[in-house]
Amino acid sequence: MLLFGALFLALLAGAHAELPGCKIRVTSKALELVKQEGLRFLEQELETISIPDLRGREGQFYYNISEVKVMELQLTSSELHFLPEQELMLQITNASLGLRFRRQLLYWFFYDGGYINASAEGVSIRTGLQLSRDATGRMKVSNVSCQASVSRMHAAFGGTFKKVYQFLSTFITSGMRFLLNQQICPVLHHAGMVLLNSLLDTVPVRSPVDDLVGIDYSLLKDPVASPSNLDMDFRGAFFPLAEANWSLPNGAVEPQLQEEERMVYVAFSEFFFDSAMESYFRAGSLKLSLVGDKVPHDLDMLLRASYLGSIVLLNPAVIDSPLKLELRVTAPPRCTIKPSGTTISVTAGVTIALVPPDQPEVQLSSMIMDARLSAKMTLRGKALRTQLDLRRFRIYSNQSAFESLAVSGERQLIPLQTPLKAMLQIGVMPMLNERMWRGVQIPLPEGIDFVREVVMNNAGFITIGADLHFAKGLREVIEKNRPVDTRDPQAPSAPPPLTAAV
């Protein structure tokens, strides 16, 4: 009975789980590019290692090693891969670090000093990044594991006291190796928990698209890693800025990502586009009013001729008044995605009236317009763009003087079909496409763009496969967004669960 109750609760929870409107998959094909950029960043971070001065005494010899600085990282073997429950694992083996430090030696009244180059060899680093969803829906590095070791140190001592340094080198290099071992993991921990999180902070979570509408890219759950990819589920929902707490229920098909040939795949369901159109509808922006000279001349003449009888009967005095043509969407448009293409269905009211100065409007006709638009999606950089094209167009009226021209019993306005459609194609569609071409940003960090995109239509969702391109280096983006460094340079080495093998 208890087992049945637990199963029922699990099914109930699954039934109420929110479906994603947007999914992103990063495949193993992207790891080589990410590794190259990551290793450059790692080398720059290791150069920030601060090693305390090493001083001591052997008999009458006093020595002091100071100003130790990491100059370069030389790699022999490195690997970056996905690891379930850890997300990302970087393994470096048999690397070497180039070092430079200042030496000082005092023997009785004799002093020797200068700078010298050294190398740390047999460097092994194994560090993992665990990614999770924080309370705001943002992806964060929630944990950094680290193991680091330096097998041996070598310093090319020279000068007057070369023999002495060779005698002391065992003490000096062993001490430096110990200190270096203690400093690698704290640097990597800070790089992951602070610096990489500042990079992830550049990913939009809940941000405005324009003055009317915003978009919510909150993660719905922690990222899921498999040996070949990393999957992320985003809410992918638009909302009117004036109703920030409003949300459209998601009843669309959940996007499915199966492909792994490209570096990254992004999928958008019908809900993603429906929420955008309903948000603009609720914001009151899906309307257009043309008055006077704004109405195309040929259409103005046709409308006046068509409604001449109505004008004479209603109010002959306003016959020369400016004409007004108003289109107002009466219900939120809806998107349909099929393998054959993407269409958007729109129903709008069309009102034709005369606007005499300082007098009430004289309405000539009120019609219903049904339109079918085709939509072509493209991805440029980080922007999802849409190109619309008017495919089908019909108008109906309950008040028209042309009811006698109805087809099959329907009151279809045949004489106005062509000019109104031309007006939409020439005057309205370019304005819509100009706005749509600005695009909506995809949830990617700053400095990373999509290239070589391929768009695929499926039943209920579209999938875009692409490769990644670093338009900016990690260092450049992180420096721009770097938080204030509150680290204590004298703080102990690595917090758990980091380990430094000596």
Side-chain angles (χ1 to χ4, degrees):
M1 186 66 182
L2 288 175
L3 180 61
F4 175 79
L7 179 61
F8 175 76
L9 290 175
L11 292 174
L12 188 63
H16 288 84
E18 183 176 357
L19 295 177
C22 171
K23 283 188 173 185
I24 294 183
R25 164 172 287 183
V26 181
T27 72
S28 56
K29 299 289 177 59
L31 292 184
E32 183 62 32
L33 177 67
V34 174
K35 184 183 75 172
Q36 293 172 8
E37 189 64 33
L39 289 176
R40 281 193 289 269
F41 170 69
L42 176 62
E43 180 178 1
Q44 293 164 341
E45 280 304 298
L46 290 177
E47 291 175 2
T48 68
I49 287 179
S50 177
I51 298 178
D53 294 355
L54 181 66
R55 55 176 60 91
R57 173 184 176 181
E58 288 297 325
Q60 298 302 320
F61 295 100
Y62 295 85
Y63 60 88
N64 181 38
I65 302 298
S66 60
E67 301 178 27
V68 181
K69 181 175 178 59
V70 177
M71 304 302 295
E72 63 175 343
L73 171 66
Q74 294 182 344
L75 297 175
T76 302
S77 174
S78 62
E79 182 182 358
L80 179 67
H81 58 270
F82 294 118
L83 189 66
E85 299 183 2
Q86 189 67 51
E87 273 73 51
L88 275 176
M89 179 65 67
L90 174 64
Q91 188 162 357
I92 297 173
T93 56
N94 201 27
S96 63
L97 291 172
L99 303 152
R100 183 175 175 81
F101 60 86
R102 183 185 181 191
R103 73 182 191 277
Q104 294 171 294
L105 179 66
L106 180 65
Y107 177 67
W108 293 100
F109 300 106
F110 298 98
Y111 171 81
D112 179 62
Y115 288 88
I116 191 170
N117 295 325
S119 63
E121 299 172 351
V123 178
S124 294
I125 300 173
R126 180 181 172 87
T127 183
L129 301 179
Q130 186 171 359
L131 304 174
S132 64
R133 172 190 181 275
D134 71 4
T136 66
R138 184 180 297 279
M139 184 166 64
K140 287 286 188 180
V141 177
S142 57
N143 188 35
V144 179
S145 64
C146 178
Q147 293 178 322
S149 64
V150 178
S151 298
R152 55 194 178 275
M153 292 282 301
H154 174 73
F157 292 106
T160 307
F161 291 91
K162 178 179 180 180
K163 296 294 184 182
V164 176
Y165 283 121
Q166 289 176 347
F167 169 72
L168 298 174
S169 63
T170 301
F171 303 100
I172 295 174
T173 56
S174 296
M176 288 182 62
R177 184 170 67 90
F178 174 80
L179 293 174
L180 186 59
N181 273 322
Q182 298 299 309
Q183 295 300 320
I184 293 176
C185 280
V187 168
L188 297 182
H189 184 269
H190 179 264
M193 297 298 292
V194 178
L195 301 184
L196 288 183
N197 275 331
S198 72
L199 175 69
L200 293 176
D201 285 341
T202 66
V203 178
V205 173
R206 193 173 173 88
S207 58
V209 175
D210 51 30
D211 294 337
L212 298 172
V213 165
I215 189 166
D216 188 342
Y217 278 126
S218 301
L219 271 175
L220 298 180
K221 60 182 181 180
D222 291 344
V224 177
S226 70
S228 57
N229 54 63
L230 178 70
D231 288 335
M232 293 160 283
D233 290 358
F234 297 90
R235 178 167 287 119
F238 292 77
F239 60 91
L241 295 179
E243 302 177 77
N245 294 325
W246 173 85
S247 61
L248 178 69
N250 186 354
V253 173
E254 181 178 357
Q256 302 296 324
L257 291 174
Q258 307 294 337
E259 301 86 354
E260 296 183 354
E261 290 76 21
R262 309 298 287 270
M263 292 185 182
V264 64
Y265 289 90
V266 188
F268 302 96
S269 72
E270 292 174 344
F271 165 78
F272 180 87
F273 303 101
D274 285 347
S275 69
M277 293 182 290
E278 182 145 349
S279 295
Y280 280 106
F281 176 78
R282 295 178 71 92
S285 66
L286 300 185
K287 58 184 179 181
L288 175 67
S289 182
L290 303 176
V291 182
D293 294 340
K294 299 295 184 181
V295 180
H297 179 68
D298 292 344
L299 181 61
D300 184 286
M301 293 181 60
L302 176 62
L303 292 174
R304 288 180 185 276
S306 301
Y307 294 103
L308 179 61
S310 299
I311 297 173
V312 172
L313 290 174
L314 291 171
N315 189 350
V318 302
I319 193 169
D320 294 325
S321 299
L323 190 72
K324 177 182 177 180
L325 177 63
E326 184 178 77
L327 285 80
R328 184 183 296 270
V329 175
T330 57
R334 285 293 177 255
C335 173
T336 302
I337 302 176
K338 297 180 179 179
S340 57
T342 302
T343 58
I344 296 175
S345 300
V346 183
T347 300
V350 181
T351 302
I352 301 172
L354 292 176
V355 188
D358 302 323
Q359 296 182 41
E361 293 183 2
V362 179
Q363 181 173 310
L364 302 178
S365 180
S366 177
M367 298 172 281
I368 300 298
M369 177 191 77
D370 286 336
R372 185 72 60 85
L373 311 177
S374 66
K376 181 180 179 180
M377 314 301 176
T378 58
L379 199 57
R380 293 293 182 270
K382 278 193 288 285
L384 176 66
R385 296 172 173 177
T386 305
Q387 179 78 23
L388 298 176
D389 187 24
L390 181 62
R391 291 299 185 187
R392 292 180 57 189
F393 174 83
R394 294 189 301 173
I395 53 175
Y396 304 89
S397 173
N398 294 323
Q399 304 177 19
S400 171
F402 291 101
E403 291 186 0
S404 59
L405 297 177
V407 178
S408 301
E410 295 181 323
R411 302 183 181 96
Q412 187 177 34
L413 300 175
I414 297 175
L416 299 182
Q417 286 273 116
T418 301
L420 282 176
K421 183 176 182 180
M423 186 270 294
L424 289 175
Q425 289 176 323
I426 296 172
V428 177
M429 297 307 297
M431 290 190 297
L432 282 176
N433 283 324
E434 180 183 1
R435 170 60 191 90
M436 302 293 286
W437 200 248
R438 300 175 196 170
V440 178
Q441 184 175 346
I442 304 303
L444 275 184
E446 181 180 344
I448 302 177
D449 292 333
F450 290 124
V451 294
R452 294 182 287 277
E453 308 87 352
V454 176
V455 181
M456 296 161 283
N457 275 55
N458 304 276
F461 63 95
I462 66 168
T463 303
I464 303 177
D467 292 332
L468 294 175
H469 168 67
F470 281 90
K472 298 179 182 177
L474 288 180
R475 170 62 54 190
E476 180 182 354
V477 178
I478 288 174
E479 286 297 333
K480 176 183 174 183
N481 300 279
R482 179 188 284 268
V484 177
D485 192 349
T486 58
R487 287 182 300 173
D488 180 358
Q490 301 301 323
S493 52
L498 312 184
T499 61
V502 181

